[in-house]
Amino acid sequence: MLPAGALLATGVRAADTETARGGLTKGDAAVLRFLAAAEILETDLWQQYNELGGVNGGNAAYVAALQNLDGDMPQYITDNTDDEVSHADFLNAYLKSRGAAQVNLDEFRTLPSSKATGARQVGRLTNLQQLVVDTSFYTRYRSSENPDLGSTFAQAVKIENQPAIPLNDNDTPPNTGQPVPPVTHAARRMQAIANTAGFHFGYIEQGGASLYSSMALKVRDLEVLRIVVSIGGVETDHFSLWHDKLGNAVAQPLAGVTDPETGVTFPDLNNPATELSQTNKILPEPADFLRNGLPEVSVIRPTLTENAGAVATIKSFTADRLFDGQSKKFFATVMALAEAADAARRGF
């Protein structure tokens, strides 16, 4: 029998001893539930991209515009979608295996689908039809500054009230063999939509990299930690991929494309090329970390709860207009999950 105080000496409070019997601590369960919810939301948005632009995507014009960013974009989109589906399914199954409540957001699948050819007409959790994409991650990862130390970053491209998927077949050019750069009104519109998607892919996945890094600092169970860092590594891998591909939207020959309907423009960030804009600088530059006075180091940033945690994630998605049209109950539900996750503490 363990002597009194032995559990406390290992950093596990007596109230959390259900872990030893196969259950999860309250904090670990809260972290996993929020991550499951985040993966369900990611799955929903990636499925929309995949239906239209994946390897079996049903919208030829959208596929062609995405392939102007990279010929393998449809495969990458499909693979990213499959990854998110696997993350959501695994996290919910793991919660069940440890006797914890799972996450189900099906009652909130009420948002409309795109009416463009290829989109399934089903209820959605997320809205990709009028986004405000935060592109400051582009300059942040080229900078030596860190938001966890109070730094702020300029937008690389101003993307406001812009669709990332075609809204309907009016957005679809009749000729999918578009020249580069596109010259017709419809082709420019479609390319701007695809460029927006490219930046949105990067925005979503850099947020996942930060979120998982933040959540890893909160869990106690080593198996739960293994899950968080293992899935988090894939989110970082996703970001690296999209960080590379999105640069082709703001480099020649695509640079300069303007959406003729919204006015959103994708400039040439290589003219002039600077440390904060050069499109082939896709690996995180060394930056300040933990505190001033230490050497700069290449790291994921931000990772502090206030900047990268669960509540920060929901606030960021809301500012992105990803949830436009959702109900008050939806916001209350996801924010409650977020607040519980952020409140988790390792307890050492």
Side-chain angles (χ1 to χ4, degrees), residues 128-131 159-167 171 189 192-194 196-197 259 262:
L128 302 176
Q129 300 184 42
Q130 195 174 32
L131 297 175
I159 303 177
E160 296 183 352
N161 303 322
Q162 175 74 11
I165 54 175
L167 304 181
D171 288 334
R189 165 76 166 167
I193 290 171
T196 299
D259 188 318
T262 66

Side-chain angles (χ1 to χ4, degrees), residues 205-217:
E205 299 305 322
Q206 62 81 30
S210 285
L211 172 64
Y212 273 87
S213 295
S214 177
M215 292 296 104
L217 302 175

Side-chain angles (χ1 to χ4, degrees), residues 201-283:
F201 299 164
Y203 158 76
I204 290 293
E205 299 305 322
Q206 62 81 30
S210 285
L211 172 64
Y212 273 87
S213 295
S214 177
M215 292 296 104
L217 302 175
K218 297 177 177 294
V219 299
R220 298 183 185 179
D221 187 303
L222 286 179
E223 189 171 69
V224 175
L225 179 61
R226 182 181 177 187
I227 292 169
V228 175
V229 298
S230 296
I231 295 179
V234 175
E235 297 289 331
T236 303
D237 190 32
H238 290 166
F239 171 52
S240 180
L241 168 69
W242 300 123
H243 196 184
D244 181 22
K245 304 313 172 189
L246 67 85
N248 293 324
V250 284
Q252 293 300 330
L254 284 178
V257 167
T258 297
D259 188 318
E261 297 187 23
T262 66
V264 170
T265 298
F266 294 85
D268 187 345
L269 293 185
N270 291 320
N271 186 23
T274 70
E275 186 75 10
L276 297 182
S277 68
Q278 189 174 332
T279 59
N280 64 357
K281 292 180 68 66
I282 64 168
L283 301 179

